[in-house]
Amino acid sequence: MVSVMSRTTGLLIACLLNVSSYGASTDTSKPKYISAAAELFSLCNASLFEYHHALTAWFSGSMPPADFDVFVDALSLDPEVKLVDTKGHDHGFEDLMKMLKQLHGQEPASIHRPDPTSIVVHMANTSMAFLTFDEHISHSYGSTSIIRTRAACHREPRAASGVSWSSINETSISSG
């Protein structure tokens, strides 16, 4: 997994170098900009995996209901987050919290994991990154679903992860 993440970070840096190559050749801030954007992507990437680990623990019931605040912190959701689920329904923060509380332990053997080879960075700068990735969900009854997610991740110094997710749009690729 580390080599895939390193390759993805390398592709992001190459993309930023290409995009940043337009403009004055004497601009000495480009390396700092590229470094800051790569750092942000690295934080978003780490948060993405922590987010899915927390979903697995919550939905499977291995995280106790009393740890709901710990679970929510691990998700790193912006208070203004908007999630569009696979059925096209919009959910704001409060609606998500209510829904997530009800889903505790509802998928006893499920595993939620992002596919690191599917991560595509559409845009990244020093404060925000827009990405697409596939989430594989292994269900207790033996099948796997795939959800393609477009998401916006932005720098948030107050969050434990250093970032927060402000927009999440899910599309079902395959149902299991």
Side-chain angles (χ1 to χ4, degrees):
M1 185 162 70
V2 173
S3 64
V4 172
M5 284 192 257
S6 298
R7 184 175 55 208
T8 305
T9 303
L11 290 171
L12 170 67
I13 292 169
C15 175
L16 290 169
L17 282 170
N18 189 36
V19 170
S20 300
S21 65
Y22 299 101
S25 60
T26 59
D27 186 354
T28 58
S29 65
K30 287 178 191 165
K32 290 178 186 175
Y33 173 86
I34 292 167
S35 177
E39 176 203 6
L40 174 64
F41 172 72
S42 181
L43 291 171
C44 292
N45 198 44
S47 177
L48 179 66
F49 283 87
E50 181 180 356
Y51 178 101
H52 285 86
H53 179 76
L55 286 179
T56 295
W58 186 256
F59 292 150
S60 69
S62 65
M63 180 181 282
D67 286 350
F68 185 73
D69 289 340
V70 173
F71 165 66
V72 171
D73 286 346
L75 296 180
S76 294
L77 296 173
D78 186 278
E80 302 296 319
V81 68
K82 179 180 177 184
L83 179 136
V84 179
D85 66 23
T86 58
K87 295 177 182 166
H89 300 126
D90 290 351
H91 303 279
F93 187 83
E94 294 303 319
D95 187 27
L96 271 173
M97 295 304 103
K98 181 180 173 184
M99 185 173 62
L100 288 168
K101 282 181 181 180
Q102 293 171 350
L103 291 172
H104 180 264
Q106 296 298 309
E107 299 177 21
S110 71
I111 299 172
H112 295 252
R113 60 182 171 76
D115 174 1
T117 65
S118 73
I119 300 171
V120 175
V121 178
H122 300 284
M123 189 285 295
N125 59 33
T126 59
S127 62
M128 183 168 277
F130 293 96
L131 3 138
T132 300
F133 61 90
D134 291 345
E135 173 188 358
H136 294 246
I137 305 168
S138 302
H139 301 283
S140 57
Y141 45 85
S143 66
T144 300
S145 299
I146 301 174
I147 295 174
R148 179 153 299 143
T149 303
R150 291 187 317 264
C153 175
H154 60 90
R155 195 174 296 277
E156 177 51 71
R158 294 172 297 207
S161 65
V163 296
S164 65
W165 299 93
S166 59
S167 175
I168 304 167
N169 191 319
E170 301 178 333
T171 305
S172 180
I173 300 300
S174 72
S175 299

